[in-house]
Amino acid sequence: MVKSNIISPMKANRLFWLGRYAERVYMTLHLLRKCYDKMIDGEPSDYEDFWKKLDAQEIYKEPEEFTFGMMYDENNVNSILSSLIHALDNAILLREDLTSETLSFIEMSISYIKNCKMKGVTNITELQPVTDWMLAFWGSCEERVVNSNEMNMMLVGKYIEKMDLCLRFSYPFKSIDLLYTKLIASGNPVKDLLFDPVAEKDLEHSILMYKNTASDDILDYNVGILYELNQLVKV
């Protein structure tokens, strides 16, 4: 039986969000480690910026509550455990394309982090295996996803999520521009199904505008690029 290479909008949506949630796990772990170091060694003012950006809805009131919640709160879509569960929800429906070996890295991560939650672990460094497994997940996708368009749709989700978080945390524009280049390279082969053409042009304009200006005020560009970035995908 010949397998169809046609990708429906629903499947494109699952691939895109799998990429976003998988990268959200990886990046949130990275940002939480930086925040955790400041919480241990510094004053509240040292980690306030991280806290406000990771907990934009101000769900958590105390440092311990914040750390535990960002690791394990299933009702917080930005927590590590919640992101893993959402990634698995999409991945299970794509098992035939991803293979069980690829899914196992997400499944192992969920099992491990639930065990940490049960033990009350709040040291973010204990979640290093999850970081390693998420890197292995992407390596397995590269090896096992046969349809290049499916892989590109996942990568679009990955780079949008990474670019989103880097913008929110005011990474240097050089990093934003590099991620934009990777996003467009991955998205071009599937742009007709994924990209809103107006948002695509607006985003390109904003990136070029910053490249061509001598201004050091990145914040205004952050806001514009962030909005356009999250309007880009239409599935």
Side-chain angles (χ1 to χ4, degrees):
M1 180 177 178
V2 178
K3 187 177 176 180
S4 174
N5 286 325
I6 296 174
I7 301 174
S8 68
M10 183 177 293
K11 187 172 187 178
N13 179 272
R14 290 171 183 156
L15 290 160
F16 168 74
W17 280 106
L18 172 57
R20 282 205 74 155
Y21 282 121
E23 187 63 15
R24 187 174 300 176
V25 172
Y26 180 82
M27 282 296 293
T28 303
L29 279 164
H30 168 69
L31 292 165
L32 275 176
R33 275 193 292 268
K34 295 176 72 172
C35 185
Y36 186 76
D37 290 342
K38 292 179 181 293
M39 292 172 79
I40 291 176
D41 300 326
E43 299 296 324
S45 58
D46 294 334
Y47 59 82
E48 185 177 13
D49 189 50
F50 280 91
W51 188 330
K52 285 184 176 179
K53 289 175 180 176
L54 285 170
D55 182 25
Q57 296 180 333
E58 299 183 357
I59 301 171
Y60 312 112
K61 307 305 178 187
E62 301 294 334
E64 294 79 8
E65 185 184 3
F66 164 73
T67 304
F68 195 85
M70 287 304 301
M71 292 167 73
Y72 306 124
D73 187 352
E74 294 185 42
N75 295 316
N76 178 359
V77 71
N78 294 314
S79 77
I80 297 165
L81 179 54
S82 178
S83 296
L84 281 167
I85 291 170
H86 282 89
L88 183 62
D89 288 344
N90 286 285
I92 284 174
L93 297 171
L94 300 165
R95 183 186 292 273
E96 185 179 348
D97 303 276
L98 300 176
T99 75
S100 296
E101 289 85 353
T102 302
L103 262 68
S104 69
F105 294 111
I106 300 178
E107 292 168 334
M108 285 190 297
S109 296
I110 292 175
S111 177
Y112 179 82
I113 200 170
K114 283 185 174 181
N115 188 49
C116 288
K117 180 181 181 179
M118 184 176 63
K119 294 178 178 178
V121 173
T122 56
N123 185 339
I124 192 67
T125 61
E126 293 292 322
L127 298 190
Q128 181 61 42
V130 178
T131 294
D132 297 339
W133 286 327
M134 295 318 295
L135 289 171
F137 165 79
W138 283 110
S140 184
C141 288
E142 292 281 358
E143 288 290 326
R144 293 184 167 93
V145 176
V146 176
N147 187 321
S148 61
N149 284 340
E150 291 179 359
M151 188 68 214
N152 281 327
M153 289 177 181
M154 291 174 62
L155 289 172
V156 166
K158 174 181 180 175
Y159 291 128
I160 284 182
E161 184 66 27
K162 189 164 192 148
M163 196 171 164
D164 179 297
L165 284 167
C166 287
L167 282 163
R168 293 179 193 276
F169 281 84
S170 300
Y171 274 54
F173 181 76
K174 182 169 64 174
S175 299
I176 304 301
D177 189 31
L178 177 60
L179 288 170
Y180 172 76
T181 300
K182 291 180 177 181
L183 168 61
I184 296 305
S186 300
N188 273 337
V190 291
K191 63 186 296 182
D192 290 343
L193 184 55
L194 285 188
F195 287 177
D196 179 281
V198 175
E200 183 185 7
K201 289 181 179 178
D202 289 344
L203 179 59
E204 180 184 20
H205 175 75
S206 293
I207 293 288
L208 289 175
M209 182 171 62
Y210 189 75
K211 272 186 176 181
N212 296 329
T213 183
S215 172
D216 293 325
D217 184 9
I218 191 172
L219 294 179
D220 289 342
Y221 292 103
N222 273 7
V223 173
I225 292 173
L226 189 59
Y227 173 79
E228 291 149 6
L229 178 69
N230 284 294
Q231 298 298 310
L232 179 61
V233 171
K234 63 187 179 182
V235 295

